[in-house]
């Protein structure tokens, strides 16, 4: 079983990066939908911009897993 | 594609357009430049009349509310069309005017009835509300009874109806009366025009309304009959007219002089001979030019040609961007990678089989041209991968594993229900996180590596420097991959990859007495390979910084593991809660409730998996892989005469 402190740290990492991603996507998504209403051919570029912030939460996932496996294991 | 230049005498223009329209082979390049000899052509003579008819037909279609194409279509003769459209328009516009009049009158009558109703319940004649010099008359609706009004304002006289109140008060006290009424939620209503008993007026209005309602229904019935009778004609005529207008207006895209015309366009090389033979039969001259000889600034349009199973995936490419003429079509790449990733993320026999079943239903029930047909086909291919992964790797159906994990034999599995699947489970999603993550990195390396190879092939004819940069990035990727494999070799899969497929890789860790890099043990060959990114300098000056972004790209594939595990965890949580707490208790009430909830929960997991795995599988291709090699911005091939292009 993982160290409780490491488990909490992992949870906080996931929550923080998750919120950060959501916040960014809210802004980008709103702007993208607005732009697509004007020019539907911007879909591809919009999707790319929309997906960019996801990197934050993926990094969060990596750090969380590191915390759980590396730090917790003696 | 071949460039085709078609030139002929002007009097043969109509026949030429007819033939080109029928062949559906040429993608016309519009003539823009005005010069002294060649101008933009004028529409053929019937264009104005045809457009006029088309506008009339569209208005008829909108009045009749014809939406879906009817099953039977009439054969249309353009020569008879004008007469038929005119008579139909006459009939329908009469009915339409009658309908509009009836609807307007009905609206007026409804308003009148609403106005009169409160006054009818009070009972005073309408003239009693008007014509006072010293009195003010306040009438309105009240949600609750205004009790105690008379006591508070003895000077006023009050008449009541159900939910209505009329107050006659001296002008000076009108403010006070309104304030008192406001306490009961009073809203003012206007006093309707007219004289006499409001009840009698109301009865007349209601009778009128009923009469007009019946008349409107009659008109609508006639319009309905007309729709049934003429829908086939209207739809077929609209289609036929669109074709004719397209033909008649085609000269607007040609270069025309006083006595000749020139049509410029692109023809698929395989179809050029056919076009030339047909046109020369008319006495028209056709010249071909190879794309290289054509003007550089105008790239040829792109017609995607793929094996049949990959064709439904083309819409996903157009959604991103149509490939340019000078690069490889990435449809096959997407056809293999996207469903594979989808299958890995779902990794479940049950859900996979459902996706395949949905695809089969779509193939039978839907029109192959519809967007849903294509979406369901794409997910069905993902479903096949999902069944394979679920059966051979993850051993899981509907979120429940075939066998309990070795160290947790008490966990629920299909074996608990007496179903024994004789296939060993290679990875238990919940307990093989390391395996899942390493596999994600492995897929990342394969996917991105293929991307760089395609990029190299794209660039090698174009720019040797850019091709070299792609090679450098490929080396860098391989370096990062070997480094990650080396440092993750505590995982059995990584260990195997490091020892067997990468057995030849030089693993010198301590050259010149150096122990690793910054205190971390690493194979030096990997470091040297990562320096391959310096070749990226041929492409852009910031190339060395982008090594970090390449690492981020590889990390990004961990979403494969993340979603795979996450989806399985949600499904297994639902299964455990509902099976253990409700269904396996054996009490009939709980069992029925449990089964109902379980079906709902499974549907939820299925839909969530579909959306998230589908979007992420596409995203990894669009975002991580395509930007490594794919430029897009091509023009889709739209031959003259073809209706309904591949637009999404």
């Amino acid at each position: 079983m993982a160290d409780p402190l490491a488990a909490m740290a992992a949870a906080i990492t996931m929550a923080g990066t998750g919120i950060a991603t959501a916040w960014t996507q809210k802004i980008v998504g709103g702007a993208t939908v607005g732009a697509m209403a004007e020019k539907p051919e911007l879909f591809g570029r919009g999707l790319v911009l929309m997906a960019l912030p996801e990197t934050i939460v993926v990094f969060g996932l990596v750090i969380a897993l590191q915390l759980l496996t590396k730090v917790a294991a003696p | 594609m071949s460039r085709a230049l078609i030139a002929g005498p002007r009097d043969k223009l109509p026949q030429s357009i007819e033939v080109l329209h029928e062949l559906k082979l040429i993608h016309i390049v519009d003539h823009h430049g005005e010069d002294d000899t060649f101008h933009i052509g004028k529409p053929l003579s019937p264009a104005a009349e045809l457009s006029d008819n088309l506008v009339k037909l569209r208005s008829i279609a909108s009045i009749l509310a014809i939406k879906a194409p009817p099953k039977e279509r009439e054969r249309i003769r353009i020569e008879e069309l004008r007469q038929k459209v005119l008579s139909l328009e006459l009939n329908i516009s009469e009915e339409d005017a009658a309908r509009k009049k009836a609807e307007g009158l009905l609206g007026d009558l409804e308003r009148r009835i609403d106005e009169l109703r409160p006054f009818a319940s009070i009972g005073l004649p309408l003239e009693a509300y008007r014509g006072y010099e010293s009195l003010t008359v306040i009438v309105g609706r009240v949600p609750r009874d205004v009790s105690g009004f008379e006591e508070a304002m003895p000077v006023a006289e009050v008449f009541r109806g159900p939910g209505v109140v009329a107050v006659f008060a001296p002008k000076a006290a009108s403010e006070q009366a309104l304030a008192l009424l406001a306490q009961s939620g009073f809203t003012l209503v206007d006093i309707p025009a007219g004289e006499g008993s409001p009840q009698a007026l109301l009865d007349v209005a209601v009778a009128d309304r009923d009469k007009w309602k019946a008349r409107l229904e009659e008109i609508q019935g006639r319009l309905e009959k007309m729709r049934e009778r003429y829908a086939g004609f209207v739809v077929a005529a609209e289609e036929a007219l669109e074709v004719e207008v397209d033909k008649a207006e085609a000269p607007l895209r040609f270069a025309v002089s006083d006595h000749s015309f020139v049509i410029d366009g692109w023809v698929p090389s395989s179809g050029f001979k056919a076009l030339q033979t047909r046109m020369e039969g008319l006495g028209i001259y056709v010249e071909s030019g190879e794309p290289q000889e054509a003007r550089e600034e105008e790239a040829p349009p792109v017609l995607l040609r793929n094996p049949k199973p990959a064709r439904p995936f083309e819409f996903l490419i157009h959604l991103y961007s149509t490939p340019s003429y000078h690069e490889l079509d990435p449809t096959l790449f997407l056809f293999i990678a996207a469903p594979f990733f989808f299958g890995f993320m779902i990794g479940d026999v049950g859900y996979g089989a459902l996706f395949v079943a949905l695809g089969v239903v779509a193939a039978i029930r839907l029109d192959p041209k519809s967007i849903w047909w294509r979406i369901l086909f794409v997910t069905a291919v993902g479903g096949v991968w999902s069944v394979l992964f679920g059966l051979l790797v993850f051993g899981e159906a509907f979120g429940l594993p075939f066998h309990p994990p070795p160290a947790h034999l008490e966990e629920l599995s299909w074996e608990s229900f007496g179903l024994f699947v004789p296939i060993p489970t290679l990875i238990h999603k919940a307990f093989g996180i390391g395996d899942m993550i390493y596999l994600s990195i492995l897929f990342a390396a394969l996917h991105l590596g293929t991307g760089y190879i395609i990029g190299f092939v794209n660039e090698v004819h174009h720019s040797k420097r850019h091709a070299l940069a792609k090679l450098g990035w490929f080396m860098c990727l391989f370096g990062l991959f070997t480094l990650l494999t080396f440092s993750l070799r505590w995982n059995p899969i990584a260990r195997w990859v490091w020892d067997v497929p990468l057995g030849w890789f030089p693993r010198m860790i301590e050259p010149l007495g150096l122990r690793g890099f910054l205190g971390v043990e690493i194979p030096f060959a990997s470091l040297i390979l990562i320096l391959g990114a310096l070749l990226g300098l041929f492409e852009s000056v910031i190339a060395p910084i982008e090594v970090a972004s390449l690492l981020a790209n590889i990390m990004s594939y961990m979403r494969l593991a993340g979603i795979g595990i996450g989806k399985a965890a949600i499904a297994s949580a639902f299964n455990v809660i509902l099976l253990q707490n409700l269904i396996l208790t054996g009490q009939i009430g709980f069992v029925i409730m449990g089964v109902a909830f379980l079906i709902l929960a499974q549907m939820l997991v299925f839909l969530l998996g579909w959306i998230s795995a589908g979007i992420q599988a596409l995203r990894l291709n669009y975002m991580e892989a395509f930007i490594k090699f794919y430029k897009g911005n091509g023009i889709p091939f739209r031959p003259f005469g073809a209706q309904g292009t591949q637009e999404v």
Side-chain angles (χ1 to χ4, degrees):
Chain A
M1 212 46 215
D3 174 2
L5 278 178
M8 275 173 67
I12 293 169
T13 312
M14 284 314 296
T17 48
I19 291 168
T21 302
W23 194 356
T24 324
Q25 286 195 329
K26 176 198 151 202
I27 298 166
V28 179
T32 306
V33 170
M36 264 174 61
E38 296 262 326
K39 282 177 97 178
E41 64 271 22
L42 284 178
F43 176 85
R45 218 170 296 165
L47 195 77
V48 168
L49 288 175
M50 188 68 206
L52 266 179
E54 280 173 17
T55 321
I56 307 172
V57 76
V58 175
F59 281 152
L61 177 73
V62 174
I63 300 294
L65 288 170
Q66 289 256 324
L67 282 168
L68 289 180
T69 52
K70 290 277 171 62
V71 178
Chain B
M1 288 283 156
S2 300
R3 188 86 179 206
L5 215 58
I6 301 167
R10 199 165 162 177
D11 56 339
K12 291 208 174 144
L13 190 55
Q15 295 104 294
S16 308
I17 291 175
E18 204 60 50
V19 171
L20 288 176
H21 198 275
E22 181 195 324
L23 285 175
K24 298 183 182 28
L25 275 175
I26 188 165
H27 176 106
I28 296 171
V29 176
D30 293 2
H31 172 75
H32 292 301
E34 282 278 325
D35 58 41
D36 291 342
T37 329
F38 283 103
H39 307 280
I40 293 172
K42 291 199 174 61
L44 299 180
S45 53
E49 191 192 317
L50 289 169
S51 314
D52 186 43
N53 281 345
L54 188 57
V55 171
K56 286 201 173 96
L57 260 176
R58 284 185 180 149
S59 111
I60 291 170
S62 112
I63 292 172
L64 291 182
I66 298 170
K67 286 187 197 93
K71 292 209 172 66
E72 287 170 35
R73 298 193 186 185
E74 287 178 29
R75 304 251 334 133
I76 298 295
R77 292 168 59 111
I78 294 292
E79 309 82 65
E80 299 168 358
L81 205 72
R82 175 131 191 105
Q83 209 50 45
K84 240 177 153 175
V85 169
L86 277 179
S87 70
L88 190 59
E89 194 208 11
L90 207 66
N91 268 336
I92 283 179
S93 54
E94 227 167 71
E95 292 291 354
D96 191 42
R99 182 180 63 176
K100 281 196 182 121
K101 189 180 159 205
E103 278 171 351
L105 270 170
L106 262 177
D108 289 347
L109 283 168
E110 292 284 358
R111 270 192 296 281
R112 177 84 176 152
I113 290 168
D114 279 348
E115 271 177 2
L116 284 170
R117 194 158 276 147
F119 293 86
S121 63
I122 291 174
L124 293 174
L126 283 179
E127 61 268 23
Y129 295 92
R130 285 190 215 97
Y132 302 106
E133 274 176 22
S134 59
L135 279 182
T136 179
V137 184
I138 304 167
V139 189
R141 293 174 202 277
V142 274
R144 352 179 236 286
D145 188 41
V146 272
S147 54
F149 185 85
E150 284 93 338
E151 287 80 47
M153 247 188 110
V155 286
E157 194 173 350
V158 181
F159 295 85
R160 288 188 171 82
V164 197
V165 66
V167 175
F168 293 75
K171 273 204 170 136
S174 70
E175 292 285 324
Q176 193 197 349
L178 274 171
L180 272 174
L181 286 168
Q183 289 168 6
S184 331
F186 173 85
T187 47
L188 203 65
V189 296
D190 290 335
I191 296 158
E195 287 184 353
S197 152
Q199 186 60 50
L201 288 170
L202 181 67
D203 290 345
V204 172
V206 168
D208 273 358
R209 180 191 63 183
D210 292 346
K211 193 178 82 189
W212 280 103
K213 220 176 209 167
R215 198 165 291 178
L216 180 66
E217 269 162 26
E218 219 173 89
I219 298 168
Q220 272 165 341
R222 281 204 295 273
L223 278 169
E224 180 66 34
K225 273 204 194 97
M226 280 179 151
R227 166 164 54 217
E228 272 163 32
R229 190 163 154 209
Y230 294 114
F233 166 74
V234 170
V235 172
E238 211 179 318
E239 273 175 16
L241 266 178
E242 271 166 13
V243 169
E244 290 308 312
V245 169
D246 201 22
K247 284 188 214 165
E249 288 181 349
L252 288 170
R253 313 174 66 185
F254 305 156
V256 177
S257 74
D258 292 344
H259 303 290
S260 60
F261 70 88
V262 178
I263 304 170
D264 189 3
W266 293 99
V267 180
S269 303
S270 56
F272 189 82
K273 204 80 215 146
L275 182 100
Q276 198 174 25
T277 323
R278 281 293 297 275
M279 294 308 283
E280 282 175 357
L282 286 176
I284 308 277
Y285 176 69
V286 182
E287 189 182 280
S288 89
E290 288 309 307
Q292 286 83 356
E293 297 164 21
R295 280 173 290 163
E296 264 301 307
E297 69 269 25
E298 269 183 50
V302 178
L303 177 64
L304 301 184
R305 285 219 172 106
N306 282 296
K308 213 169 173 203
R311 244 172 261 165
F313 283 71
E314 284 174 359
F315 88 97
L316 291 171
I317 298 290
H318 287 296
L319 196 62
Y320 184 80
S321 184
T322 303
S324 88
Y325 188 73
H326 300 287
E327 62 187 348
L328 294 177
D329 167 13
T331 308
L332 265 183
F333 179 82
L334 191 76
F335 170 66
I336 295 166
F340 181 85
F341 289 156
F342 183 83
F344 182 75
M345 282 184 271
I346 300 284
D348 188 295
V349 180
Y351 300 130
L354 276 182
F355 285 125
V356 175
L358 267 180
V360 172
V361 171
I364 297 167
R365 301 294 299 269
L366 295 180
D367 173 15
K369 279 192 191 125
S370 76
I371 184 77
W372 275 105
W373 187 92
R374 283 179 278 180
I375 290 175
L376 290 172
F377 181 89
V378 168
T379 35
V381 179
V384 173
W385 280 108
S386 168
V387 169
L388 289 176
F389 272 113
L391 204 61
L392 305 175
V393 181
F394 300 122
E396 198 178 281
F398 294 110
L400 204 61
F402 292 157
H403 320 286
H408 303 264
L409 291 174
E410 76 290 352
E411 299 243 332
L412 273 183
S413 71
W414 284 105
E415 280 178 20
S416 327
F417 300 92
L419 193 87
F420 189 81
V421 184
I423 301 172
T425 300
L426 298 180
I427 300 172
H428 271 281
K429 277 184 197 163
F431 300 95
I433 296 178
D435 295 339
M436 295 290 281
I437 286 188
Y438 183 71
L439 281 179
S440 303
I441 292 174
L442 181 66
F443 295 155
L446 293 172
H447 196 224
L448 294 174
T450 317
Y452 280 131
I453 293 170
I454 300 176
F456 177 78
V457 176
N458 278 341
E459 296 287 358
V460 80
H461 298 298
H462 221 227
S463 150
K464 296 274 182 292
R465 283 152 47 96
H466 284 196
L468 209 59
K470 294 281 182 234
L471 208 63
W473 284 118
F474 183 80
M475 282 164 59
C476 179
L477 172 74
F478 192 61
L480 286 173
F481 171 65
T482 50
L483 193 63
L484 284 168
T485 307
F486 174 77
S487 42
L488 290 173
R489 69 197 187 289
W490 47 268
N491 175 274
I493 302 176
R495 171 107 245 164
W496 178 83
V497 172
W498 182 246
D499 287 340
V500 184
L502 289 177
W504 54 272
F505 190 74
R507 42 204 71 207
M508 187 172 54
I509 297 181
E510 295 177 48
L512 314 169
L514 289 168
R515 182 146 180 82
F517 180 71
L518 298 177
V520 185
E521 258 185 40
I522 48 171
F524 269 75
S526 302
L527 260 194
I528 294 167
L529 280 172
I530 291 172
L531 292 181
L534 290 177
L535 287 175
L537 283 173
F538 285 122
E539 219 171 24
S540 76
V541 269
I542 53 161
I545 305 171
E546 294 202 11
V547 176
S549 87
L550 182 57
L551 189 65
N553 287 150
I554 298 174
M555 299 273 214
S556 189
Y557 283 76
M558 288 194 196
R559 72 189 65 230
L560 291 175
I563 290 172
I565 298 167
K567 193 206 62 74
I570 297 172
S572 119
F574 277 131
N575 284 342
V576 169
I577 293 169
L578 295 171
L579 283 171
Q580 277 181 348
N581 297 341
L582 294 174
I583 297 175
L584 296 181
T585 54
Q587 286 170 282
I588 187 74
F590 280 154
V591 172
I592 292 171
M593 203 162 78
V595 170
F597 276 131
L598 193 64
I599 292 172
L600 272 179
Q602 290 287 350
M603 272 165 63
L604 182 76
V605 176
F606 175 76
L607 283 177
L608 273 181
W610 187 1
I611 295 168
S612 63
I615 288 178
Q616 300 299 343
L618 275 182
R619 185 223 117 102
L620 283 179
N621 282 285
Y622 284 167
M623 271 287 299
E624 256 67 45
F626 277 11
I627 52 173
K628 302 279 178 285
F629 66 91
Y630 184 57
K631 294 202 182 72
N633 269 338
I635 310 156
F637 178 70
R638 297 222 167 93
F640 177 56
Q643 300 262 314
T645 42
Q646 294 177 316
E647 271 176 293
V648 182

